[in-house]
Amino acid sequence: MGIISHRSGEIDVLLQGNEAIARGALEAGVLFCAGYPGNPSSEIIETLIEASKELPIYVEWSVNEKVALEAATAASFSGCRALVSMKQNGVNVISDFLIHLTLSGIKGGLVLVTCDDPSGVSSINEEDARAFAPLAEIPLLEPSTPQEALDMTRWAFELSEQIGNVVMVRSLTRISHTRTNVKINDLPDFETTPRFDTNAPFHTFPVVEKHKKRQKKLDQAMEMFETSSFNRYKGPTEPELLIIGSGCARSYATEAVEILGLRERVGILHLGTTWPLPKDLATRHLRASERVLFAEDVDPFIENSVKALAADLGNELGTKEFFGKASGHIPSTGETSPALLLEVLGEIFHISWKNSFYREKIAALIGDATPPREFGFCPGCPHRGSYYAIKTALAWDDRDGFVSGDIGCYTLGIFPTGFSQVKSVHAMGSGLGLASGFGKLEKFGFDQPVVTVCGDSTFFHSGFPALVNAKFNDSDILLLILDNSATAMTGFQPHPGTGTNAIGDRVEPIDIEAVCRSLGVDVISADPYDTEETARIIYDLIKRTGPRVLVLRRKCALVQGREGGFPYKMRVDQERCKGEECGCGRYCTRIFRCPGLIWDEPVQKAKVDEVICVGCGICATVCPHSAIIREEK
Amino acid sequence: MTVSPNPEGQSRLIEEIIDKGICVRCGACVGLCPYFHFFDGKVVVMDRCDADTWNCLQLCPRANPEGDILNESGGIGSYKTVTMARATDKEIRETSQYGGTVSSIIISGLQSDQIGSAVLTDRGGATSPEGRLARNRKDVLDCAGSRYSASGSLSILNGCIKDGEDRIAMVGVPCQMEALARMRELMPDGEERYGRVSLKIGLFCTWALDYRQLDAFLKKEGVKDPVNKFDIPPPPSEVFRVQTQGKWRDFPLSQIRPFVQKGCSFCQDMTAQEADLSVGTVEGIEGWNTVVLRTDKGAEIFNEAIEEGWLETQAFPEDNLEHLKEAAQNKRERGKKSIIKGVRGQAWE
Ligand SMILES: Cc1cc2nc3c(=O)[nH]c(=O)nc-3n(C[C@H](O)[C@H](O)[C@H](O)COP(=O)(O)OP(=O)(O)OC[C@H]3O[C@@H](n4cnc5c(N)ncnc54)[C@H](O)[C@@H]3O)c2cc1C
Ligand code: SF4
Ligand code: SF4
């Protein structure tokens, strides 16, 4: 039995933040869990999938986040506890349903977990999903450690049921992916039988009444927050500086206060329940200090609500000095760090500290073990072949064509690894919508060819409606579906096209080509490893009109590596290689850029890095002098 | 021919020739490296090269206009004799453009083993006509007839030199012959490469068309089937003729002229003076070719084709020769004017 499904608790176990969230949900007796993969949130559902093998719960990867919330809500409406998890962008996707759902309210505890990714370490954007809590008028909890992540998630279900509305839990990359000792508790019996009470329907009418009710629920939550043990104060009764913080930034502030020896002068109000702001608690602390620093990641969320409160109580509290995002002390972009908090506190208290403190600490631990690396496709990656073919076709066409990109590994097409063909990337599925618009500009004189690319998972997530739109409006859209049989970027979760679902059941795979054909859209397929032939097909498709789909199909190199590997052993015939000379100009290492090909400095020729090269063989067709030789393994 | 080397590389070729739209798609710069392709009637830039030795700019017949002005010869250039010829073989006569002289010489040369292969221009299909390496009679007949758009066929020559091909015959328009001369003088291994080309047959040329524009025009005009044959009968007819499935359709030349390649206006050579022998039509005498024999090599292979019974000849009418020289001289004057206008005005457009 896995530790996550361990029935009796009261023990310390080593857990990752996301596992702690999953355990918290299990300890609350969650019955229905759904989500859409996306770093840094994916391990929550993955952990619950493991648990579902031993516990009577249901877990699914849904087709997108909105459907995940809708599906989970069904369980809640039927009186069961349910959890949905996603990364920050996913909250945008659910927002439409969420804002309606929170008007109707819910029944069984329904917890929405968002894992925000400040700095966009593995994201296409930087976003503070907390903004949706005030918008949807729902309570928000912010753990700052894996232990809190567990405890808060468990309690969030209770809170949700007490007020009859969704509760949001916001984690961060550094919490979700931190591993530490966490105390777990007993698991309950999981004995609920779902039943929908037809006498108590869920809808948003009468709208204004429901809106009032939603705000009452918030007031109720605020009252509970006033005394919540998730909010703690540490420091002198009348500190020279009050830090109000949440999440990682709060932990960094604590560390900085210690290092700078400010424990006697600075107080830290650790807020775990950040929306609605517990006003009495905050007021008490504001009275005690003239200066306030806000420590939080991304938006000035706590900062703004505290400032609003201070304005309301202006007569009583007088003017305070605030340090935070508005004052420029804490940047409102990029993630916070211990070094940042050290710097800010050092500045406020005029203490100089050694700027290289953390850098030296890191260097002592890992040395120079991490070489600098640019974003790049893996060796053998079919996307390299796909973009090479696209690049070739667009160059042949010679009308300054470009790619309208989407979200997946293939987003890297904006970088040299994808020959910088992608000129636009936004939300999931948006590349198709944009292309459907570009495809209607011809009559105004637009003659640049636009190719849009989309992975199979993204197609099912939200690309499909845009393709329907293109068909409906007869747009000249050329969609390349990059089918690598995996949701590779987020860790190979199954999707509707793979033939298995989250819990490993065999299900009938949904055939994208058949879906497109059923829309009356022409579909053909090609092999991204055969770049020349694929380029010809793309060139030909560019010249046609109406919606067209080309499926470029090859397994993700990592999957292929696991399933038998690649056929070739590669080498460079250095006699034939022309290197820097006219006629080559380091074409393979400078333009094609597979990491398997490297520059042999002493002889000034290319060579194959045998450790990195997987032997896909694409590069053999790319060398202008046939110097890259492939031999059957 | 005066040839002066050019000191800068790919960027200059792109900026001054390709981006300005004056590339004549001869194909000289294609097939030597991965950075240019000839595709569907156009020379396109695939990637930017950063090599600090280069050939592309050196070879380009459009890249050195001042040098060309210094060109000393006039009219049809230097030659031994001008004569009239046509094929004796019925099939060649039927498939070829006029008298089938070019196809006959190639077939004769291949059969007598004087040449090993020939770089010709195919009829195109899904994409534009392009160069093709012909090795036998069938290949030659598949390529017979004139396509009035440039085929970039020097790219095929570059490719087969790289592959080790020897004793190659090159059939091409005057700018292609000029590029060959540049290759010989300016490429580091120019003599060696030039040595692989054992025969250069030049085609007379007034201008060539931009394939993509022509193709779009013909499609718009409802010409859907593959074109078997094009013709531009000599003045004063002023028509462009297109044959599909055995039927001719005529378009006024004024509709076609807008598609003439911009770069052709700088060209001063109508009769391919750098070739071993040059071939064109004969004004007023249907089914025959004008043949200008220039070098010993050209005369030798031409005479052999006659001896082997592939060709028959007739004396070239004196009036025609005068007229031909006049027409060729006119093209020189027009080209010079355009160059001076272009270079002095610092603008090629
Ligand atoms: C673009 C162009 C413009 C021309 N303009 C004139 C002109 O103004 N006056 C004139 O008298 N003659 C002109 N000619 C030449 C003429 O059309 C005939 O090609 C020539 O008379 C030879 O005739 P033939 O019967 O021997 O040809 P064929 O025996 O049919 O042989 C013609 C050869 O030319 C090759 N060829 C076809 N198209 C091209 C091309 N685009 N580029 C390179 N090679 C090609 C073919 O592969 C074939 O081998 C022009 C030719 C071209 C290609
Ligand atoms: S075979 Fe070539 S393209 Fe494939 S992984 Fe090796 S070096 Fe890269
Ligand atoms: S004219 Fe010839 S050499 Fe010059 S750019 Fe065009 S194809 Fe290349």
Side-chain angles (χ1 to χ4, degrees):
Chain A
M1 170 169 280
I3 197 69
I4 291 296
S5 345
H6 210 276
R7 287 227 172 228
S8 52
E10 300 295 323
I11 49 166
D12 277 358
V13 294
L14 184 67
L15 289 185
Q16 187 207 46
N18 280 341
E19 291 170 343
I21 291 170
R23 175 74 194 190
L26 293 172
E27 290 179 6
V30 74
L31 184 114
F32 195 115
C33 311
Y36 185 81
N39 290 328
S41 73
S42 308
E43 298 87 355
I44 299 172
I45 293 294
E46 279 165 355
T47 306
L48 291 163
I49 290 168
E50 280 309 302
S52 75
K53 292 174 185 160
E54 294 163 7
L55 299 172
I57 62 168
Y58 172 75
V59 190
E60 73 172 36
W61 284 125
S62 308
V63 70
N64 65 33
E65 295 87 348
K66 179 165 173 274
V67 174
L69 177 60
E70 288 154 354
T73 299
S76 165
F77 284 174
S78 310
C80 305
R81 291 188 167 182
L83 171 130
V84 278
S85 76
M86 60 204 62
K87 65 186 298 178
Q88 75 273 4
N89 324 57
V91 186
N92 306 337
V93 179
I94 65 168
S95 61
D96 193 11
F97 178 58
L98 178 70
I99 284 160
H100 292 86
L101 172 65
T102 50
L103 278 182
S104 83
I106 50 96
K107 192 172 173 192
L110 179 53
V111 174
L112 156 64
V113 180
T114 168
C115 299
D116 286 7
D117 183 19
S119 285
V121 178
S122 49
S123 300
I124 194 80
N125 76 343
E126 179 175 62
E127 170 182 351
D128 195 330
R130 293 181 298 177
F132 283 97
L135 192 62
E137 295 179 323
I138 51 171
L140 170 71
L141 307 179
E142 286 189 59
S144 65
T145 60
Q147 183 69 60
E148 275 188 345
L150 186 151
D151 297 337
M152 279 185 183
T153 307
R154 191 183 53 231
W155 185 65
F157 285 91
E158 260 171 58
L159 173 63
S160 168
E161 273 167 19
Q162 283 188 25
I163 65 166
N165 219 346
V166 181
V167 172
M168 185 167 177
V169 175
R170 184 230 202 181
S171 178
L172 294 161
T173 307
R174 308 292 171 191
I175 296 163
S176 284
H177 286 171
T178 293
R179 227 165 247 288
T180 175
N181 267 355
V182 175
K183 192 167 78 54
I184 61 172
N185 310 282
D186 290 347
L187 293 189
D189 287 339
F190 297 97
E191 269 176 11
T192 33
T193 307
R195 170 136 198 100
F196 188 95
D197 181 357
T198 47
N199 293 318
F202 294 93
H203 53 67
T204 60
F205 294 101
V207 170
V208 174
E209 284 312 308
K210 288 278 170 75
H211 197 177
K212 274 188 197 147
K213 210 169 152 193
R214 182 165 83 180
Q215 289 171 357
K216 280 226 179 70
K217 292 175 180 181
L218 259 193
D219 292 344
Q220 222 182 317
M222 192 202 293
E223 216 163 285
M224 294 162 81
F225 286 177
E226 294 290 0
T227 54
S228 166
S229 61
F230 292 124
N231 305 319
R232 292 185 299 278
Y233 177 76
K234 223 176 132 191
T237 32
E238 289 196 346
E240 287 172 47
L241 177 79
L242 170 68
I243 300 177
I244 306 180
S246 69
C248 302
R250 195 279 306 165
S251 312
Y252 302 152
T254 311
E255 186 166 331
V257 166
E258 288 298 317
I259 291 173
L260 296 180
L262 290 170
R263 217 194 293 176
E264 306 302 320
R265 302 169 69 186
V266 175
I268 301 177
L269 176 59
H270 170 184
L271 268 193
T273 70
T274 48
W275 182 264
L277 180 71
K279 283 188 181 154
D280 292 346
L281 174 78
T283 309
R284 274 201 306 282
H285 288 282
L286 283 176
R287 270 196 206 109
S289 185
E290 292 310 305
R291 304 202 294 172
V292 183
L293 168 68
F294 300 100
E296 58 188 324
D297 267 302
V298 194
D299 287 348
F301 184 82
I302 301 174
E303 178 174 336
N304 287 348
S305 55
V306 170
K307 280 180 176 169
L309 176 69
D312 286 344
L313 302 176
N315 280 343
E316 183 199 335
L317 292 178
T319 33
K320 305 274 172 194
E321 193 176 359
F322 291 114
F323 304 97
K325 315 239 177 208
S327 70
H329 286 83
I330 306 276
S332 45
T333 55
E335 64 180 341
T336 57
S337 66
L340 175 83
L341 269 300
L342 273 170
E343 201 172 296
V344 173
L345 283 171
E347 193 192 318
I348 295 173
F349 285 93
H350 306 289
I351 303 171
S352 66
W353 67 286
K354 203 155 129 242
N355 206 349
S356 53
F357 181 79
Y358 284 99
R359 242 179 292 131
E360 280 166 14
K361 223 169 142 181
I362 293 168
L365 281 173
I366 59 169
D368 50 5
T370 51
R373 267 213 317 186
E374 65 176 39
F375 282 120
F377 292 124
C378 303
C381 175
H383 297 326
R384 179 175 290 103
S386 296
Y387 278 120
Y388 192 77
I390 292 170
K391 167 178 100 69
T392 304
L394 290 177
W396 285 344
D397 178 86
D398 202 27
R399 285 176 297 164
D400 207 13
F402 60 95
V403 175
S404 169
D406 223 300
I407 317 290
C409 290
Y410 50 90
T411 305
L412 295 184
I414 60 179
F415 297 112
T417 191
F419 316 106
S420 309
Q421 296 297 294
V422 175
K423 303 296 182 189
S424 141
V425 178
H426 301 87
M428 292 282 286
S430 298
L432 274 83
L434 274 159
S436 110
F438 283 122
K440 294 306 299 182
L441 295 181
E442 197 203 350
K443 70 170 180 181
F444 305 109
F446 184 81
D447 75 338
Q448 292 166 278
V450 179
V451 173
T452 182
V453 294
C454 175
D456 30 17
S457 187
T458 306
F459 178 78
F460 290 120
H461 180 285
S462 50
F464 180 65
L467 184 60
V468 174
N469 187 63
K471 175 68 188 175
F472 174 47
N473 292 303
D474 193 27
S475 169
D476 296 330
I477 177 175
L478 171 53
L479 166 62
L480 269 48
I481 295 176
L482 309 179
D483 179 1
N484 63 357
S485 316
T487 318
M489 188 172 69
T490 53
F492 303 102
Q493 294 81 4
H495 61 67
T498 55
T500 45
N501 62 18
I503 47 182
D505 290 345
R506 289 243 137 240
V507 288
E508 197 182 328
I510 300 172
D511 177 355
I512 301 187
E513 283 168 69
V515 169
C516 296
R517 281 204 190 93
S518 73
L519 297 177
V521 173
D522 286 342
V523 186
I524 48 175
S525 62
D527 176 3
Y529 280 9
D530 188 351
T531 55
E532 165 95 25
E533 176 61 18
T534 300
R536 279 184 183 272
I537 293 172
I538 296 171
Y539 180 82
D540 186 54
L541 286 171
I542 284 172
K543 290 203 287 189
R544 297 201 219 155
T545 55
R548 295 137 288 161
V549 173
L550 173 65
V551 181
L552 293 177
R553 184 168 289 132
R554 263 284 173 175
K555 278 196 183 131
C556 166
L558 300 179
V559 173
Q560 185 62 41
R562 284 204 295 258
E563 296 176 1
F566 292 85
Y568 302 110
K569 179 161 170 38
M570 308 299 296
R571 69 184 167 85
V572 172
D573 178 349
Q574 293 193 333
E575 293 282 292
R576 279 201 216 165
C577 171
K578 293 198 103 185
E580 306 256 52
E581 265 177 60
C582 173
C584 180
R586 295 173 62 162
Y587 188 73
C588 65
T589 51
R590 197 174 61 85
I591 304 285
F592 187 65
R593 295 171 90 94
C594 174
L597 294 160
I598 51 176
W599 188 242
D600 192 348
E601 276 298 338
V603 287
Q604 295 284 294
K605 302 268 168 155
K607 74 173 180 192
V608 170
D609 184 333
E610 285 172 18
V611 179
I612 305 262
C613 171
V614 293
C616 71
I618 306 185
C619 55
T621 60
V622 161
C623 173
H625 300 280
S626 314
I628 305 179
I629 316 283
R630 57 182 175 207
E631 284 153 0
E632 305 276 335
K633 265 183 192 158
Chain B
M1 151 165 192
T2 7
V3 169
S4 42
N6 232 317
E8 285 154 83
Q10 192 208 23
S11 296
R12 233 185 103 184
L13 186 72
I14 294 171
E15 279 155 32
E16 295 185 5
I17 311 298
I18 296 185
D19 286 354
K20 294 248 159 80
I22 60 166
C23 162
V24 288
R25 294 81 186 235
C26 68
C29 61
V30 184
L32 297 164
C33 70
Y35 301 104
F36 297 103
H37 281 186
F38 174 86
F39 194 86
D40 205 13
K42 236 178 163 179
V43 168
V44 291
V45 180
M46 302 307 289
D47 291 286
R48 288 299 183 124
C49 165
D50 71 349
D52 41 10
T53 58
W54 52 82
N55 290 312
C56 52
L57 188 71
Q58 312 271 35
L59 295 175
C60 178
R62 279 298 161 270
N64 209 352
E66 300 266 28
D68 291 348
I69 295 175
L70 300 176
N71 219 317
E72 59 303 323
S73 50
I76 60 170
S78 55
Y79 64 93
K80 294 178 185 297
T81 44
V82 178
T83 181
M84 235 165 74
R86 71 172 179 191
T88 53
D89 186 296
K90 201 164 154 264
E91 196 188 5
I92 297 179
R93 248 199 251 172
E94 272 165 14
T95 44
S96 65
Q97 189 63 22
Y98 298 122
T101 303
V102 173
S103 298
S104 298
I105 296 173
I106 300 294
I107 291 172
S108 159
L110 286 171
Q111 296 202 348
S112 69
D113 219 18
Q114 285 262 27
I115 55 174
S117 57
V119 174
L120 307 178
T121 290
D122 71 13
R123 300 209 165 87
T127 53
S128 74
E130 56 189 33
R132 189 198 299 179
L133 191 67
R135 295 193 185 276
N136 52 45
R137 177 187 170 107
K138 182 179 177 300
D139 292 347
V140 176
L141 290 178
D142 282 350
C143 290
S146 300
R147 262 65 58 190
Y148 289 98
S149 57
S151 71
S153 53
L154 283 175
S155 65
I156 300 299
L157 179 73
N158 286 333
C160 63
I161 289 177
K162 190 161 73 183
D163 294 341
E165 194 73 30
D166 207 354
R167 291 184 304 123
I168 312 161
M170 176 73 212
V171 175
V173 284
C175 55
Q176 296 183 302
M177 296 298 132
E178 184 185 335
L180 277 179
R182 301 179 72 85
M183 170 184 93
R184 176 186 197 175
E185 289 189 39
L186 296 173
M187 272 179 84
D189 56 348
E191 276 303 331
E192 204 264 308
R193 299 173 70 86
Y194 194 78
R196 307 271 203 93
V197 182
S198 50
L199 179 68
K200 295 164 291 162
I201 301 184
L203 305 173
F204 290 8
C205 179
T206 314
W207 40 247
L209 301 169
D210 179 284
Y211 173 77
R212 293 189 191 190
Q213 284 178 282
L214 174 67
D215 186 52
F217 170 80
L218 292 178
K219 287 216 171 86
K220 205 181 80 211
E221 290 292 327
V223 179
K224 297 248 156 57
D225 300 313
V227 176
N228 321 103
K229 205 166 177 177
F230 293 99
D231 193 19
I232 307 173
S237 73
E238 279 291 308
V239 288
F240 182 73
R241 315 196 68 202
V242 176
Q243 192 198 63
T244 50
Q245 301 200 321
K247 271 198 256 73
W248 285 102
R249 245 184 97 175
D250 292 358
F251 298 94
L253 255 190
S254 59
Q255 281 192 326
I256 303 298
R257 274 212 184 83
F259 314 141
V260 170
Q261 304 191 100
K262 244 202 242 174
C264 291
S265 66
F266 304 104
C267 178
Q268 303 171 63
D269 185 5
M270 190 183 96
T271 58
Q273 61 185 44
E274 301 294 333
D276 290 313
L277 75 155
S278 307
V279 185
T281 183
V282 189
E283 286 192 15
I285 309 173
E286 230 174 90
W288 287 81
N289 288 115
T290 303
V291 181
V292 181
L293 298 175
R294 301 184 187 277
T295 64
D296 291 344
K297 179 83 202 186
E300 184 194 330
I301 202 149
F302 179 72
N303 289 330
E304 193 188 81
I306 297 168
E307 278 157 34
E308 296 289 322
W310 291 104
L311 286 176
E312 53 188 350
T313 56
Q314 265 187 30
F316 194 61
E318 202 51 46
D319 282 357
N320 280 53
L321 184 59
E322 280 319 303
H323 190 222
L324 179 66
K325 285 182 174 171
E326 199 185 302
Q329 188 56 36
N330 284 344
K331 186 173 175 187
R332 281 180 199 285
E333 305 298 336
R334 284 198 305 271
K336 269 182 213 169
K337 262 195 210 134
S338 303
I339 289 169
I340 290 165
K341 220 168 92 192
V343 173
R344 302 282 178 267
Q346 292 302 312
W348 283 95
E349 287 91 342

